[in-house]
Amino acid sequence: MSASPEASSSSVTGDGISVRGRPFSWRFTTPLFIGSALNPGNSSLIATALLPIAHGVGVPVGQTAALVTALYLASAIAQPTAGKAAEVFGPRRVFLAGIVLVAVGGVAGGCAQDLITLLIGRVPIGLGTSCACPTAMLLIRRRARAAGLDRPPGAVRDHPPRPHPVEEEGLFPALAHIA
């Protein structure tokens, strides 16, 4: 039985959280969307800041590429690990631990005077931002189940919007639509 996301029933999630009224209100979804956007947003910001960072710490620009590498290596390890940790310890705990790691890495990076300290600050940022996406997916799935839904409503499930035809079908079928 699939209930409406506007249902006013009350139920309890696996984490012991009561779901009343609108289970996917802005108070629930906003932190999840923002948290999930931290990793790509951080990567975009650092890519445009590599030259000023190199000048600021007095190293060649090529060495600052290690800042991007440190974040991606930490993310590649942490994201699947965070997903499993969320299943074991609970997604809220892992999500909040990730936010704390991001704050610690941000403070370390903000106080850095050299490239090594910046690199050390980037690792917790990579670890922390990697916690957001798998925990958000688990929180949304559990919230939908607790609200009596077969799956999350489209506004949550399809955010960001559905992929472009090139991403869904491949390049050549997408080009066939043009002809």
Side-chain angles (χ1 to χ4, degrees), residues 30-153:
T30 300
L32 301 180
F33 288 151
I34 292 172
S36 296
L38 286 177
N39 197 308
N42 191 307
S43 298
S44 299
L45 290 172
I46 196 76
T48 60
L50 291 178
L51 183 62
I53 290 171
H55 290 300
V57 295
V59 297
V61 177
Q63 288 183 0
T64 59
L67 296 170
V68 175
T69 304
L71 181 104
Y72 283 143
L73 281 174
S75 296
I77 294 167
Q79 195 156 12
T81 306
K84 181 62 177 174
E87 290 177 349
V88 174
F89 300 112
R92 287 178 47 137
R93 287 182 181 152
V94 175
F95 186 85
L96 292 173
I99 297 302
V100 168
L101 282 170
V102 170
V104 167
V107 168
C111 297
Q113 299 295 318
D114 59 355
L115 187 62
I116 298 298
T117 310
L118 279 172
L119 282 169
I120 291 169
R122 291 290 287 171
V123 172
I125 290 173
L127 297 174
T129 58
S130 294
C131 292
C133 195
T135 57
M137 291 189 314
L138 190 55
L139 282 165
I140 289 169
R141 189 176 333 127
R142 286 184 179 177
R143 179 66 63 106
R145 195 174 317 130
L149 302 172
D150 295 332
R151 60 185 186 180

